[in-house]
Every structure is written in structure tokens, then in C-alpha cells.
Amino acid sequence: MAAVLTLAKKQSQRNKSQLISGLSVIILLAVSGQCAAAENEQDTKYDLSSYTAEQAYDAGRLMRAQFKDSMARPYLKYSADKGNANSAYLYAMDIVSSNPNAETPELAREYLIKAANEGQLDATYYLYKNGTWFRNATRLKYRNSYHDGSIELAESDPGKASFNLYRYYSDLNNKKSSYYLKKSQQYLYAPAVLQSSIASFDEQSNPKLNSKFIRDVEFIANKGYMPALRACVDYYEEKNKFDQALEWKEEALNYGDLMSLASLAKIYAGMVPSYSFVKTDLIKSYAYLSMYIDSAGKNRFSHLYSMMENLYSDISEKMTKEQKDKANALINKFKEKQVIFYNYDLLWNS
């Protein structure tokens, strides 16, 4: 048990170091003035010559997770063209997500193949599962590459490797699929723990947890795994235990959950009926609104951004200078802890 706990701790530390690395790049961007470019200017020119492929990937990945897609793409493409396979995959999938009702666009195919050929397993998985434009022999090649690459991964990351093999066998061999899912759980690989705890999904594809496994999910949530944090919120809200749901929303802030900023800002402004038991706290609401507006872009969830701006303006008019000073002090606490706000999705860990 000590060994798996050590693995979990190391994973949490890796996640935090990745975020801090991304923060350093964003600070550099702000200093150089490039972050001042309008998000909707698709033809904005970026001088990225001073960036390594990894730095550009960190910057693009974080911008995309903050809904600054048009700013992120040049960084991801630059990084991909310099040989970063993760960037090539993320750039391709960003193109795919921009064309949800179409077949995989040609440009996305190009970068998916580039990523897969450089050993990016998520790209390999996508091509074998979705590469309908290939001949059967080519898809089989990618399927075998995904399997073999996952076997090789076991030496450095056995939890993820086992989870990959669970996915590989999910539509081929139920017995082997279950075996590898359990094996991944033994390494406390967070996606495996959460997957094993899901009873069903709601209409928005959010997981509904089996009550028997809520402690397992809380364990990985406390390690900072964002989907587990959100699953805990949903679980307790469904049980009408909104006081516990509130605690998990606040905990998610400590790990940089951008959407929790928006949610809690409304709760502390007294705007959410199911949380009416929460005392109105304009200081917290103002701080959370300010951090959301400073962190988020408008390429996605633009309506939410406008709502946050309007609420920020309304609350600001009601607050005294002393209250604003206290709100700024709260903001500074998050800065001192180097919390970076972003929206976790399935592509975050690519």
C-alpha cells in the first residue's frame, strides 16, 4: 500500500509541476505583450522563435484549457512542427472539436498521423478507433501499435499502461478488459479508480457514482484529480447534501478548477436557490469573479464570461474599499500558492 501511495503522491507532484511550468510561460508571454492580442484575431502573428517545443506546448495547452483557443493554436502548431507529439495530438483534436459534425478534417488527420508516428498513444488510439478513411490493414497497424506501445509504457507508468490495455480490450475481450482495469486500480491510477466507481451516466455524460465506492473517489479527489472532484460535487448534490458539495467545490479551487470559480461566485452572491443556506459573501464572490475574468477567455463559454463580467460590475458597485481590499487579499493567497485556473477536459493529460 505504501508503494501505491508513493505513486499517487508523485503523480500529484508531477501535475502541480506541469501547471507551474505553464504559469511561467504565461508570465513570460504577458511580459512580452503577446497576451494582449485579441483572442478573435485568427491571423495574429506570434514570434515564437525563442520558445522550445515544450514551452510552446505548455503555453498552448494552458491557453486552450482557459478557453483561449485562437491564441493557443499557433503555440500548439509551432510545438507540433518542432516535433512535440503531444502538441501534434492536441492541435489535431482541437481541429476535430471545432468540426464536431464532420469527418476528421484533413489537417487533423495529418497531425494525428504525425503524433502517432512519434509514439503518441492517444493519437494512435484515435486513428485505430476512428480512422475510417484508412484501409483495414492500416487501422490494424495502429491498433497493434497502441497495444505494443502500452506494453512498453508499463515500465515507466504501469497504472496508465494497464488503463490503456483496459481500453484496448474493451471491445475485444471483456475478461482481459476487466483484468487490466483492476490492475490499473491497484496502482491507484485515478482514471481507473473513477471508472470503476461509475454506476451510470446522466444526459450530459457526467458520471453517476456507485455509493459503495464514494470513499475511493474521494481519495483520488483529495489528490487533485479534477474529474473526481467534480464527481464528488455531483454525487452530493444529487443526494441533496449541498453542504458537502460546497466543500468539494471549494477544494476544487485549490487545484485550479476554473468552472468552480464561476459556480462559487454565484453561490456567494446568493444567486443559487439550492445553496440558499450559504451566507452571502460579496468579498468571496468578488474575488472569484475577478479570478475567473482574469483567467478565462471567450472562445468557449462566451455567455458565461459575459455573465461573470456583468455580475462583477454589479457587485463592485455595492462594495466598499475595505471589502475590495479583503477580496484582493484573498486573490493574493491563491497567487502565493501558485494556483493556476483552467478547465480540465479529456485532452488535458494528453
Side-chain angles (χ1 to χ4, degrees):
M1 184 66 178
V4 293
L5 286 173
T6 301
L7 280 170
K9 183 177 181 180
K10 286 181 178 179
Q11 181 63 45
S12 178
Q13 290 171 339
R14 278 199 298 270
N15 290 342
K16 185 173 182 180
S17 67
Q18 286 176 337
L19 284 175
I20 292 173
S21 173
L23 176 61
S24 299
V25 175
I26 294 302
I27 291 173
L28 180 59
L29 289 171
V31 170
S32 67
Q34 291 180 8
C35 276
E39 291 175 23
N40 293 322
E41 291 181 8
Q42 299 291 338
D43 296 328
T44 298
K45 301 299 182 183
Y46 294 86
D47 180 12
L48 303 178
S49 58
S50 63
Y51 291 90
T52 66
E54 189 66 23
Q55 287 174 331
Y57 168 65
D58 285 340
R61 174 176 175 252
L62 182 56
M63 288 178 189
R64 181 191 167 277
Q66 293 177 328
F67 312 139
K68 302 167 185 174
D69 300 46
S70 59
M71 293 176 68
R73 288 173 193 138
Y75 291 86
L76 294 175
K77 184 179 185 301
Y78 172 85
S79 177
D81 290 343
K82 287 181 70 70
N84 187 298
N86 288 330
S87 261
Y89 172 68
L90 188 54
Y91 180 60
M93 294 306 295
D94 188 61
I95 295 169
V96 170
S97 64
S98 299
N99 301 269
N101 299 319
E103 291 187 358
T104 306
E106 286 291 340
L107 185 60
R109 296 181 191 184
E110 175 187 338
Y111 278 90
L112 283 166
I113 292 170
K114 179 179 176 66
N117 289 345
E118 292 171 358
Q120 217 286 347
L121 291 178
D122 290 323
T124 308
Y125 182 82
Y126 182 94
L127 289 173
Y128 109 69
K129 294 290 285 186
N130 301 287
T132 55
W133 63 91
F134 288 129
R135 293 180 303 170
N136 288 338
T138 303
R139 291 184 75 178
L140 181 60
K141 180 195 76 170
Y142 284 117
R143 192 183 83 176
N144 292 339
S145 294
Y146 182 73
H147 176 271
D148 295 347
S150 297
I151 294 294
E152 293 176 11
L153 181 64
E155 184 175 347
S156 59
D157 195 342
K160 180 173 176 54
S162 297
F163 193 74
N164 283 359
L165 291 169
Y166 149 72
R167 294 172 73 199
Y168 174 83
Y169 284 112
S170 62
D171 55 1
L172 298 174
N173 187 314
N174 288 336
K175 186 175 181 179
K176 284 189 175 181
S177 180
S178 297
Y179 167 79
Y180 281 110
L181 181 60
K182 290 178 182 177
K183 193 172 182 67
S184 187
Q185 281 182 270
Q186 291 171 1
Y187 289 104
L188 293 183
Y189 185 61
V193 175
L194 182 58
Q195 180 66 36
S196 301
S197 305
I198 295 172
S200 61
F201 292 88
D202 64 19
E203 294 178 354
Q204 285 75 43
S205 297
N206 297 315
K208 301 183 73 172
L209 302 180
N210 186 325
S211 297
K212 293 190 298 183
F213 302 115
I214 184 59
R215 296 295 172 247
D216 294 338
V217 178
E218 288 180 339
F219 177 81
I220 58 173
N222 280 317
K223 298 295 180 182
Y225 185 53
M226 200 68 73
L229 285 159
R230 293 174 179 173
C232 287
V233 170
D234 293 342
Y235 175 82
Y236 285 112
E237 285 187 337
E238 186 181 19
K239 300 291 183 183
N240 290 321
K241 296 180 178 180
F242 292 98
D243 55 336
Q244 289 176 265
L246 181 68
E247 291 177 9
W248 283 110
K249 284 178 183 285
E250 292 278 13
E251 182 65 11
L253 285 190
N254 293 322
Y255 292 98
D257 185 28
L258 184 61
M259 301 308 275
S260 286
L261 279 176
S263 175
L264 286 166
K266 291 189 290 184
I267 288 171
Y268 284 112
M271 296 174 61
V272 184
S274 53
Y275 286 88
S276 59
F277 64 91
V278 178
K279 183 179 178 181
T280 298
D281 188 333
L282 295 185
I283 292 171
K284 277 190 173 182
S285 183
Y286 180 92
Y288 295 160
L289 287 165
S290 179
M291 288 189 286
Y292 182 90
I293 292 168
D294 286 346
S295 299
K298 303 177 185 178
N299 287 144
R300 282 174 285 148
F301 298 98
S302 57
H303 177 72
L304 177 61
Y305 190 95
S306 296
M307 182 189 300
M308 295 296 100
E309 280 189 314
N310 292 335
L311 184 56
Y312 176 84
S313 178
D314 291 343
I315 288 177
S316 180
E317 292 178 358
K318 300 175 183 177
M319 293 178 67
T320 64
K321 182 182 182 303
E322 182 182 1
Q323 287 176 313
K324 289 181 180 179
D325 287 342
K326 289 181 179 179
N328 288 327
L330 177 57
I331 293 170
N332 286 333
K333 286 183 179 180
F334 281 93
K335 290 181 178 178
E336 289 167 4
K337 292 188 292 184
Q338 294 185 312
V339 177
I340 304 159
F341 291 100
Y342 70 103
N343 179 56
Y344 183 103
D345 63 13
L346 292 175
L347 298 177
W348 174 253
N349 284 329
S350 63

